[in-house]
Amino acid sequence: MSTPILQVRDVHVRYGRNGLHAVAGVDLDLARGETLGVVGESGCGKSSLARALMQMPPPSAGTVAYNGQELTGLRGQELRRIRLDLQMVFQDPIASLHPLRTVRQLVGEPLGVWRIGTKDERKVTVDEMLRAVGLDPDVAGDRRPGQLSGGQCQRVAIARALVAGARVLICDEPISSLDVSLRATVLNLLEELKERMDLSILFIAHDLAVVRNISDRVMVMYLGKVCEVGPSAELFASPLHPYTRALIDSVPVAMPGAATPEPAIIGDPPSPSNVPSGCRFRTRCPLAQQVCAEEEPQLREMEPHHSVACHFAETPGEGKR
C-alpha cells in the first residue's frame, strides 16, 4: 500500500486559557486520489481539525505530515511553499474573496505571489482554470465577488485554490451556504476536478447524503474524537457505532404518510470544556454501561478498513449482547 499523501497522528487543538479541547487525539490517513468525508454535529471539532491540518494555527499537539514531510515545525517561507500543494475551500464563498478585486485578480494572485510564469502566461493559466471550473473568463473575469452568485463565488474560490497546482484540497462545508440547486453543481465540479487533476480531498459536511455520495471513506467525529471510520458504502449500510447509527437514522425519508420516527439521540452534546469521563457519547448513548464511564474506548478494527471506538460495537451478523 502506498504512503498516504496526508498523515495525521494524535492531533489536539486547544483554545483559550481554560484549554477548551476542540480536537482530542485524532488520527487520519488521506490516500492519494481519495475523498475522505468528515461528519458530526456542530461543535464536534471538524473545522478546528481542518485548520490544524493547514497550520492555521498549528495543532496544540500531534503531527501532520504531507508527502512524508512534517508540517508542524515549519514556519515562514517553508510553510507558505507547502501551502501551494495544500489548499482550503471555506464555507462562505463570498466572505473568502476580497470584494474589491476582480475574478482574474483573485484567481491569479497565487501565481503572481510566487512569480509562476510570465504575465501573459499567468493570464492564460487563469483563463484556463476559470474554464475548468465552468466560468467563462470573458464574462466573469472582470467582475467582482458582489456581482456573482454564491455558486459562482465558490467556483472562483476553488479555481484560486487549484490554480498553482494544489494536490490536497480541504473543503470545510463548501456547499452549506449554497442553494440546493447549486450544491449538485459544485459537487459534480469537485468530482470532475478530482479525476482530472488527481486531487485528494478532505470533505467536511453536515449533509450525510452528500458525504455518502462524494466520499470514498467516511470519518465520524463526536466531541473532538473519532468514533468510527470506514468505507462509505459499508459505513452507511452497516454502521457500528451507536452515534453513527443515530446520525443515519435522523435523516428524513421522503415517504408520504410515513410516521415521524422518534429522535435517535436526545439532548445536546456536552461542552468541550467539560467532557464526560470515559466514552464522550455515553451521556446520550442507549447502550451505555458502567464501563463506558470508567474506560475510554479506543478505535479498533472490526472489519477490514472499518474501525470503531465503542465497548459494545458489534460486527454485522453478531447477536445482540
Side-chain angles (χ1 to χ4, degrees):
M1 183 178 178
S2 61
T3 302
I5 193 168
L6 195 66
Q7 290 183 300
V8 178
R9 294 292 179 267
D10 196 27
V11 159
H12 295 252
V13 177
R14 297 181 178 89
Y15 296 116
R17 294 181 178 179
N18 295 329
L20 187 145
H21 214 161
V23 178
V26 167
D27 295 346
L28 71 84
D29 289 334
L30 180 65
R32 299 172 192 276
E34 178 188 40
T35 299
L36 174 63
V38 182
V39 298
E41 293 171 286
S42 295
C44 73
K46 304 186 300 296
S47 294
S48 293
L49 174 63
R51 290 177 177 273
L53 302 186
M54 290 292 300
Q55 311 298 302
M56 301 190 314
S60 306
T63 63
V64 179
Y66 167 72
N67 262 343
Q69 181 179 4
E70 176 57 41
L71 303 185
T72 49
L74 297 183
R75 296 292 185 272
Q77 195 79 345
E78 285 185 311
L79 182 56
R80 292 178 64 219
R81 174 66 67 178
I82 287 292
R83 284 182 178 151
L84 284 174
D85 288 355
L86 195 65
Q87 285 287 315
M88 191 165 180
V89 177
F90 296 93
Q91 178 177 352
D92 188 342
I94 297 177
S96 69
L97 303 175
H98 196 296
L100 300 182
R101 294 184 179 177
T102 67
V103 167
R104 277 198 179 94
Q105 290 172 336
L106 289 164
V107 176
E109 184 176 17
L111 302 178
V113 168
W114 290 101
R115 299 179 182 177
I116 300 174
T118 65
K119 183 176 180 180
D120 290 339
E121 288 172 340
R122 290 197 289 268
K123 183 179 184 301
V124 171
T125 300
V126 168
D127 285 359
E128 288 177 348
M129 194 69 244
L130 289 174
R131 292 189 187 97
V133 298
L135 293 174
D136 185 342
D138 294 330
V139 175
D142 294 326
R143 293 182 179 178
R144 290 175 170 78
Q147 298 172 298
L148 304 177
S149 69
Q152 289 173 322
C153 284
Q154 196 63 290
R155 287 168 181 262
V156 172
I158 293 170
R160 180 180 60 180
L162 299 179
V163 71
R167 312 309 306 161
V168 175
L169 198 60
I170 298 176
C171 300
D172 186 8
E173 301 193 41
I175 62 171
S176 63
S177 63
L178 303 180
D179 293 338
V180 174
S181 59
L182 296 174
R183 293 183 181 184
T185 303
V186 173
L187 290 172
N188 290 336
L189 171 64
L190 287 173
E191 284 285 276
E192 178 184 339
L193 292 173
K194 174 188 171 184
E195 296 299 323
R196 185 191 307 180
M197 305 179 72
D198 193 27
L199 294 173
S200 303
I201 300 177
L202 186 75
F203 189 89
I204 296 171
H206 281 105
D207 192 324
L208 293 179
V210 167
V211 171
R212 179 176 188 171
N213 290 327
I214 198 174
S215 304
D216 300 301
R217 289 188 304 131
V218 175
M219 185 174 80
V220 183
M221 290 186 66
Y222 182 83
L223 211 60
K225 287 279 188 180
V226 176
C227 57
E228 186 168 358
V229 59
S232 178
E234 183 179 310
L235 183 141
F236 278 91
S238 303
L240 302 179
H241 197 283
Y243 178 61
T244 309
R245 289 197 293 271
L247 288 178
I248 295 172
D249 290 345
S250 67
V251 177
V253 178
M255 293 181 63
T260 302
E262 291 294 325
I265 50 178
I266 299 174
D268 297 322
S271 169
S273 61
N274 186 27
V275 299
S277 62
C279 176
R280 298 183 175 210
F281 184 60
R282 67 177 176 81
T283 57
R284 305 168 75 194
C285 180
L287 303 180
Q289 297 184 26
Q290 185 60 32
V291 66
C292 302
E294 297 173 350
E295 298 178 17
E296 181 179 335
Q298 303 300 312
L299 273 175
R300 53 194 173 107
E301 190 173 64
M302 303 291 288
E303 297 178 296
H305 311 297
H306 192 169
S307 300
V308 63
C310 177
H311 294 299
F312 299 103
E314 299 172 345
T315 56
E318 286 185 347
K320 297 290 183 183
R321 298 186 181 184

